[in-house]
Amino acid sequence: MISRCLLALLLGLSLCTQSCGGAGTGDASGTGGTTAAPQAPASTPNSGMRDLTSLQLSRQMSPGWNLGNALEAMGGETAWGNARTSQALIDAVKAAGFKTIRIPVAWKQHADANDNISAAWLARVAEVLGYARKAGLYAIINVHWDGGWLQPTYAAQPLANARLAKFWTQIATHFKDADDTLLFAGTNEVMVEGDYGAPKAEYVAVQNGFNQVFVSAVRATGGNNAVRHLVVQGFNTNIDHTLKHAVLPTDTAKDRLMMEVHYYDPYNFTLNEKSAIWQWGAGATDPKATETWANEAYADAQFEKMKQGYVDKGVPVILGEYCAMSRTDIPGAEKYRQAWDEYITRAAFSRGIVPVYWDAGALDNHGSGLFKRATGEQAYPGLIVVIVNAGK
């Protein structure tokens, strides 16, 4: 969840590295993109899978898990404290019961001044996608925060549109032969840095334009990309802004688009490490430690709106990020985190929404990690069980 987490990092807070959060080709930034790089493993999709609409495909994807603070880390894959991603980790995610892996990716730091993505970086992304393919997981890659150049303003729009189109043309071309287990997501939490208020008409128009640029660029590359399942986002992945302002792009493929939103309510409970709010829901016993909003009924209402606004109309919804951080310094806090994660997972899944848990790797106080990145060992098996069981 970069627009919140990386903003905190930029402000000198510890939220990103704790709550939300080398060597070899994974850290290579190189220049130029002319050298052919290995492709992600591809297979010929069976006719039944190729004929699935995005809505039908989404019913096979729950629950999901994020490889957070890895391939999108500024400075390289291991720069934010996580171990280099391995097949063992991805196999462990699959073995735990997850069906989808969302892989946030940064591209600009691995491109030259003309936005040509490094062949070494494309190869590393392909390698990690190969891990997912071998494990039998659906995979989603995106253009994540990526240095903040996707600002939804008229002033930034020309450069951002051109760069987004060039990046997605290169990415899509590189993976054009991958089958329908690979999905592309165009952007992540697009917003004007620091402005969390209701978006101006300008911001919404530019963000909707980003979605169209993404879809058009991918489709133009042909191959399996002509009908690949693509994921677009509402403004800042906010449910209410999405329902009010998002416009689905024009698409040459039929029924091959998904909408993505994120959910971190209430913020004081889920992500604010400076907050004294550590209880949540019907089981809370201390009013001073509990928010007065964003309880079970609120979550149900939010996801019901997405169901009626999108799922019921044939457009599947990806809950691309959600989590509640640990509070290991407070005895008894873990049961409330577990209750929140379980309830949010079930509230989304029961309405046809694909829940994808945000794991940023950190396992200590204020972390959201589930697995030990270096080995794949489960760090919070009880939490994993409730998430997986609630999302299947």
Side-chain angles (χ1 to χ4, degrees), residues 20-343:
C20 307
T25 59
D27 295 325
S29 57
T31 59
T34 57
T35 303
Q39 299 288 309
S43 65
T44 302
N46 62 56
S47 60
M49 185 175 182
R50 174 44 56 92
D51 291 341
L52 293 181
T53 66
S54 288
L55 186 62
Q56 292 168 331
L57 185 73
S58 72
R59 293 168 183 159
Q60 302 178 11
M61 295 174 62
S62 294
W65 177 84
N66 271 276
L67 180 67
N69 282 18
L71 299 191
E72 85 278 28
M74 295 294 103
E77 183 177 354
T78 62
W80 287 352
N82 283 320
R84 185 174 165 86
T85 306
S86 66
Q87 184 71 62
L89 170 65
I90 306 307
D91 286 347
V93 171
K94 171 66 175 181
F98 291 96
K99 296 180 181 179
T100 296
I101 178 172
R102 179 175 179 260
I103 306 172
V105 185
W107 302 94
K108 179 55 182 170
Q109 66 175 328
H110 302 286
D112 65 16
N114 295 315
D115 293 330
N116 297 304
I117 301 169
S118 162
W121 186 239
L122 284 166
R124 176 55 179 160
V125 175
E127 184 176 29
V128 175
L129 286 174
Y131 300 156
R133 188 70 179 84
K134 184 176 180 180
L137 292 165
Y138 292 100
I140 303 171
I141 59 172
N142 69 0
V143 170
H144 214 63
W145 183 81
D146 207 17
W149 54 266
L150 269 172
Q151 292 294 294
T153 64
Y154 291 140
Q157 186 176 24
L159 184 149
N161 278 351
R163 180 172 290 157
L164 190 67
K166 187 163 186 176
F167 281 173
W168 274 115
T169 297
Q170 294 172 80
I171 298 163
T173 298
H174 194 80
F175 297 110
K176 68 190 300 182
D177 295 327
D179 67 21
D180 282 2
T181 61
L182 175 61
L183 294 79
F184 297 154
T187 62
N188 182 71
E189 294 186 357
V190 171
M191 57 175 287
V192 173
E193 292 294 339
D195 185 352
Y196 289 92
K200 298 177 181 179
E202 171 187 358
Y203 303 166
V204 172
V206 176
Q207 162 63 5
N208 285 331
F210 290 161
N211 286 336
Q212 186 64 64
V213 167
F214 157 63
V215 170
S216 297
V218 171
R219 295 294 184 230
T221 61
N224 288 344
N225 293 328
V227 290
R228 187 172 307 286
H229 299 274
L230 303 180
V231 184
V232 298
Q233 294 188 337
F235 187 81
N236 199 22
T237 60
N238 175 281
I239 288 175
D240 293 315
H241 297 336
T242 298
L243 289 162
K244 185 175 182 180
H245 300 297
V247 176
L248 284 176
T250 300
D251 192 8
T252 53
K254 181 177 173 56
D255 297 326
R256 290 286 172 134
L257 293 180
M258 302 185 182
M259 180 59 72
E260 180 182 349
V261 293
H262 298 172
Y263 189 88
Y264 290 102
D265 292 328
Y267 167 75
N268 283 332
F269 174 78
T270 61
L271 294 177
N272 187 359
E273 64 189 53
K274 299 183 183 300
S275 170
I277 301 299
W278 59 275
Q279 295 189 9
W280 179 85
T285 59
D286 183 356
K288 293 181 180 180
T290 310
E291 283 280 18
T292 58
W293 72 292
N295 54 17
E296 293 94 338
Y298 177 85
D300 286 334
Q302 290 297 90
F303 295 132
E304 184 64 27
K305 287 189 291 188
M306 288 303 295
K307 176 182 180 294
Q308 293 179 14
Y310 287 94
V311 180
D312 289 350
K313 297 177 181 178
V315 180
V317 174
I318 305 291
L319 179 59
E321 295 181 17
Y322 71 103
C323 76
M325 68 181 182
S326 66
R327 294 179 186 267
T328 59
D329 57 333
I330 302 177
E334 184 64 15
K335 72 175 182 179
Y336 296 105
R337 177 168 78 130
Q338 183 167 305
W340 187 94
D341 282 331
E342 180 177 17
Y343 197 92

Side-chain angles (χ1 to χ4, degrees), residues 59 62-63 96-97 99 345-346 349 355 385-392:
R59 293 168 183 159
S62 294
K99 296 180 181 179
T345 304
R346 182 171 291 115
F349 176 71
V385 166
V386 300
I387 292 171
V388 168
N389 288 343
K392 67 179 183 179

